[in-house]
Structure formats: C-alpha cells, structure tokens
Amino acid sequence: MGMWASVDAMWDFPAEKQIFGAVLLFSWTVYFWEAFLAQRQFILLFGGIPYLWRLSGRFCSSAGFGPEYEIIQSLVFLLLATLFSALTGLPWSLYNTFVIEEKHGFNHQTLEFFMKDAIKKFIVTQCILLPVSSLLLYIIKIGGDYFFIYAWLFTLVVSLVLVTIYADYIAPLFDKFTPLPEGKLKQEIEVMAKSIDFPLTKVYVVEGSKRSSHSNAYFYGFFKNKRIVLFDTLLEEYSVPNRENQEEPGMEPRNEGEGDSEEVTAKVKNKKQGCKNEEVLAVLGHELGHWKLGHTVKNIIISQMNSFLCFFLFAVLIGRRELFAAFGFYDSQPTLIGLLIIFQFIFSPYNEVLSFCLTVLSRRFEFQADAFAKKLGKAKDLYSALIKLNKDNLGFPVSDWLFSTWHYSHPPLLERLQALKNAKQD
C-alpha cells in the first residue's frame, strides 16, 4: 500500500513535477529492464553457469571422459558458452545490420554473406580459443606456486603472435587485401613515412565496402616490418558509391507528394564518399603519430601490467571456496570457472575504473596524434578529413561532455576541430 500511496500522491504535485517524476521513473524502469535483460545478469539469475558446466560434464561422460578430465570438460564448456552467446546475439546483430545499418545506407551485405561470415568467425574463434585455453589451463595446473608468472608470460606470447599473424593470415579470411597501386598517393605515403623514419614495407587497400561503407585506416607489424592498411571506403577514388554514381544517371527530381523515404534513399545512394589524397595523407599522419609518439608501445605495456596484476590476484583468490559457492559450485572448484568468476565478475568494479582511465588516456593520445599531424603541415587537410569522415559515418557532432568523457575513446569532433582550427590559425 505504501508504494501505491506514493504513486497516487504524485498526482497532487504540480504539472512540472509530475513530468519530471514520470521521466525519472521511466528512466529507472528502462535501466533495470536493460540490466535484467543483459546476458550476464540473466545467466547469473537462473544459474546458467553451473548448469552449463554440468551439461558439459554429461557430454564428456557420454564420450568416456570422467571428472578427472577437467581440461576437456572446460573446452566443452567454452564451446557451449560461445555457441550460446553467438545464437542469442544473432537476432540483435541481424537487426543492427539489416535494419539500422540498412536504413542509413551503410550495409552492403546480403543475408547469405552475413550468415557465411558469422559461421566463419565462429569457426576461426574456436580454432584459436580452444587450443590457447587448454594450454593456459594446463600451465595453471602444473605451474606450482608461481603459475601466475608462467600464465602471464604465455598470454603475452600469444597476444604478440596474434598481433603478428592477424593481418597476414586471419584478416584475409574475411576481407580481400590488395597492394595500393603505384601512383601519386603511394609515392606521397612513402615520402611521409620516410620523413619520420617509419619502416614502411607495404601499403594495402582492404575491400571493406563489400561489408559496410564505414571507413578506417591502421598500421601493423613489429620492428622493421610495418605495413599500412587503408579501407577502400576511405579513398575517394576507390569508394564503391562514388564509382556507382559515375556509372548511373543522376537522381531524378521528386514529384510533389512522393514519400520522403525515397528521397532519403536516393540521397544516401548518390552521396559522395571518401577523402581526397591530401586528406588521406593527413589521416595517415595522425595514425603514424601514434607510432612516433610511442602510443602503441605504451598501450601494450599498460595492458601487460594489468594482465600480470590480474593473474597475481587470481592466484591469491583461486583458493577461496566461498567464491565458487557464491556462483553455485559447492562440490568442485574448476580452474576455468575460477578464471570466469574472478576476471569477469569479481574484477568488474576494477575493470570499470580501468576502462575509464584508459578512455581518458586514449583521448589524450588522440589530441597528441592530431598535434603530430599538425607538425607535418597536415592541419588543414586533417580538419576537412575529420568533417568528411563524420558526415560519411553520419556522426552527430554535438556530445554531452559527461557522457562523452565516460564513453568516448576519441574526443568529440568539435573539440578536435577547435584544436586543429587553432593550429591552422597558428
């Protein structure tokens, strides 16, 4: 009765307080509903983790593997968990791709291509996840009192190997990489790389347009073997919409009374996309700034320091039976479940704080990379490139300062433009 009396009392408030109260109530309702629907909370609430572990144990038993084969049961658990995650996330991914992205003209995939891509990603993920996980669990089992050191070293080696082989062996499984043809752009990229002692060996163009019209650029490689990758959607002369517009006649004038959706679709289809060569060089100047200023190395060092700390704390906590009991494991303490509980749930407050600190650092690095591009004389071109990329990706230039501070790894567009505007004036 007390709760309903409080709700009834709201109607006695002035209209402005009723509106504020209704908005506040709705906001909290949405918050709790989304928290309830979140997969992690859903699984916790209904005991999904111990159930999945028992299910994986039954699969192992039917194959002749008893409880002593904990690593094999852990691999079955991982397979079932990732399969469950993929299947439950599939409807949202379909909606995002074929409704939201399609509505705004970004999606270039067919349903067949999407499903083949999803299956391929799942298989590649299992080919990496299962062997790495089995070796990690084995190291923890035999590592003795200092297993956390060996586990950390193993994950360090694995991460470096994956970074090394990803662009050459994994990414080509999903996208087509072709060398950037000889020409003015390639020559200017090589000259800029040489001017800052960047050990460039190859420049690739990736066919990202078959998947989406979003654009990107990055570099990879260790030591003297650096390579640059440009999305074809970043390059004005490579952009698929631009080539299609050159082949097709212009947009027909709309008759009065026709639906707005057709006009919007035509505008999306006929908009020009990508950056000019000078702007592409400015974007690369920003990316190379991350390398020259040591941002990549600093991020790796921070990541590995955090990884070592987490493994050390895991070694301290893994023996606490109450942690396992809290999640429904009263009779056993599987190592994989311990990793899951401690890294994903117990560390979650720490992870949130760390994520915010890394977000702040990332924004600082972005401003520094912009300043580096300015020193290369690219301020004007980077200014126009950022505007074009924001328009191509339908970004909204105005951001709430508090929301962007917590969530955005890159500074809002207007802040970056203001910094570059000052640079242009200088």
Side-chain angles (χ1 to χ4, degrees), residues 57 69 74 106 141 157 209 227 249 278 381:
Y69 292 94
S74 298
F106 291 119
K141 288 286 186 183
V157 171
S209 56
R227 304 175 187 186
E278 297 80 8
D381 293 322

Side-chain angles (χ1 to χ4, degrees), residues 28 49 51 85 89 93 109 182 292-293 301 397 401 404 425:
W28 277 103
I49 296 176
Y51 171 78
S85 178
S93 183
Q109 302 179 73
E182 296 293 336
K292 190 68 174 180
L293 299 172
I301 292 173
W401 72 270
S404 63
Q425 291 173 349

